[in-house]
Amino acid sequence: MGAFSALSSPKFCFNRHSFTLPNQPATKQQIFHRRFNQRKRISITCSALNSFGANLPPLVVVGSANADIYVEIDRLPKEGETVSAKTGQTLAGGKGANQAVCGAKLEYPTYFLGQVGDDAHGKLIIDALEGGGVFVDYLNVVTDAPTGHAVVMLQSDGQNSIIIVGGANMACWPENLDLEVLKNAGVVLLQREIPDSVNIRVAKAARTANVPVILDAGGADAPFPDELLHYIDILSPNESELARITDMSTDSFEQISQAVDSCHKMGVKQVLVKLGSKGSALFTEGEAPIRQSIVPAAKVVDTTGAGDTFTAAFAVALVQGQSKQECLKFAATAAALCVQVKGAIPSMPDRVSVMRLLQAHFGIAV
């Protein structure tokens, strides 16, 4: 058995179908009912997992959920220009929802904590989360704001430009946010498509519970609050986000390393940098960086959600006890599958597909 034995033969027997929530779309009342019974549900879930031979600490994703409005175009319009789209459709997405579905499709128990509006887009997202096997006990339906949405301008080469409307992601968060689920978590994933104040509250609670926090830097381009950086364990930006955080150039690996040093000085011990076609690198303070090249995709259809797939897959491998290098390989493999399918949530790969490509590309017996 190769280095990925724990990934190919997990230390647990988890059958999502045993815990899948009802197939019918969740109503606002049903979701509120779930929230009133959270503690009971957590106890039942832990007992059920124990019956399969393991008490797994779940992946908890706190973040955004959007309706992604896709328009396929040959090129971006110039200033003052109108262009026609080839096609248009609306799919479920948002960095938080993407990462949650990715975790669940990689066969790891995953909770999503976020907000949607009481509207058709909210129903679309709930259906997608439940269909992906995500526990939505902590998903709020709000009546004072619409579901967040994004306009995704997808070009013929698979590259995209995105405009986000925050909606419920940025409004109406309760003062007394129920974070009970964090106490039993294995890792927490955050992004910047929800208010920094919410991320800080979650990160503080996770630190109190000794649960590691990974913050995906994607989302708001506002300065990072020092308090937020103090409570995260791994910061995961891409090159442009790293440049914005540090106000430094990131055109070369040497410059990226210098920018990461600046992050270390801000209090972040580990920085996981997504480098696009150049792969990725994990920087741990006081250690040599670990670099990982991309896993080539058979075709690139849509890069939307690739970064979310990478971060979530890394988190799943990490919570399963894999080495840092193995986590990077697993994440790169998952991202390579993601870009071959249009849409964010629809493109999240399943575990079997990831393991097959992992074996084919790295030649590892799994």
Side-chain angles (χ1 to χ4, degrees):
M1 190 70 70
F4 282 85
S5 59
L7 285 173
S8 55
S9 302
K11 304 171 185 176
F12 56 90
C13 298
F14 177 65
N15 182 350
R16 279 207 312 273
H17 299 293
S18 299
F19 308 109
T20 299
L21 295 169
N23 292 327
Q24 294 300 318
T27 65
K28 178 173 65 176
Q29 291 77 17
Q30 286 174 326
I31 292 180
F32 285 149
H33 177 73
R34 289 174 190 156
R35 289 182 56 75
F36 288 133
N37 290 280
Q38 287 165 357
R39 295 191 178 186
K40 180 179 179 182
R41 281 183 170 274
I42 292 172
S43 175
I44 291 172
T45 300
C46 290
S47 297
L49 290 172
N50 277 325
S51 71
F52 279 90
N55 183 3
L56 290 176
L59 169 65
V60 177
V61 182
V62 183
S64 60
N66 291 326
D68 290 344
I69 303 169
Y70 272 80
V71 289
E72 293 190 37
I73 54 179
D74 290 325
R75 60 175 177 80
L76 294 174
K78 298 177 182 178
E79 184 176 353
E81 182 184 23
T82 299
V83 299
S84 296
K86 297 177 182 177
T87 62
Q89 66 182 128
T90 301
L91 300 171
K95 294 185 72 64
N98 294 344
Q99 293 176 3
V101 171
C102 183
K105 290 189 71 174
L106 292 174
E107 298 185 11
Y108 199 85
T110 303
Y111 282 85
F112 177 68
L113 196 161
Q115 299 195 148
V116 296
D118 186 15
D119 50 34
H121 284 166
K123 178 180 178 297
L124 172 73
I125 291 166
I126 293 169
D127 288 349
L129 288 167
E130 292 187 332
V134 178
F135 294 111
V136 295
D137 303 57
Y138 293 81
L139 175 64
N140 281 334
V141 175
V142 300
T143 57
D144 296 333
T147 299
H149 62 276
V151 178
V152 182
M153 293 171 283
L154 179 63
Q155 299 178 70
S156 56
D157 62 357
Q159 299 303 310
N160 63 68
S161 298
I162 303 173
I163 301 171
I164 295 175
V165 180
N169 295 312
M170 297 300 294
C172 312
W173 284 82
E175 288 296 325
N176 297 317
L177 188 62
D178 190 343
L179 300 176
E180 182 74 18
V181 70
L182 297 185
K183 295 180 180 179
N184 299 311
V187 65
V188 173
L189 279 180
L190 302 174
Q191 321 81 37
R192 296 198 75 203
E193 290 182 347
I194 61 174
D196 284 330
S197 60
V198 175
N199 277 333
I200 290 171
R201 288 155 65 188
V202 173
K204 282 184 175 181
R207 176 63 59 86
T208 299
N210 293 317
V211 176
V213 175
I214 300 175
L215 173 63
D216 189 311
D221 58 3
F224 268 79
D226 292 339
E227 188 176 15
L228 178 57
L229 292 174
H230 178 73
Y231 287 103
I232 63 174
D233 297 278
I234 302 176
L235 176 65
S236 182
N238 60 27
E239 292 166 282
S240 61
E241 291 160 353
L242 179 62
R244 188 166 62 242
I245 294 166
T246 61
D247 196 26
M248 299 172 67
S249 296
T250 56
D251 296 328
S252 67
F253 193 79
E254 181 180 358
Q255 290 176 328
I256 289 169
S257 298
Q258 292 170 352
V260 168
D261 285 340
S262 179
C263 291
H264 291 328
K265 293 175 182 177
M266 296 177 191
V268 181
K269 301 300 182 184
Q270 296 187 76
V271 182
L272 174 62
V273 186
K274 300 178 283 280
L275 301 173
S277 62
K278 293 176 285 187
S280 60
L282 178 62
F283 296 82
T284 301
E285 189 172 26
E287 300 179 12
I290 303 173
R291 301 184 67 171
Q292 176 61 53
S293 60
I294 64 167
V295 174
K299 57 181 179 178
V300 177
V301 174
D302 180 9
T303 58
T304 307
D308 297 329
T309 300
F310 181 93
T311 305
F314 182 92
V316 167
L318 184 69
V319 77
Q320 287 182 232
Q322 300 303 307
S323 70
K324 295 174 182 178
Q325 186 70 70
E326 289 165 353
C327 290
L328 289 171
K329 289 180 179 179
F330 189 65
T333 305
L337 291 169
C338 169
V339 301
Q340 300 182 50
V341 180
K342 186 171 73 172
I345 285 180
S347 70
M348 298 297 137
D350 62 80
R351 188 182 189 89
V352 172
S353 298
V354 173
M355 297 311 300
R356 286 174 178 167
L357 181 56
L358 187 70
Q359 180 178 12
H361 181 75
F362 292 102
I364 298 171
V366 295

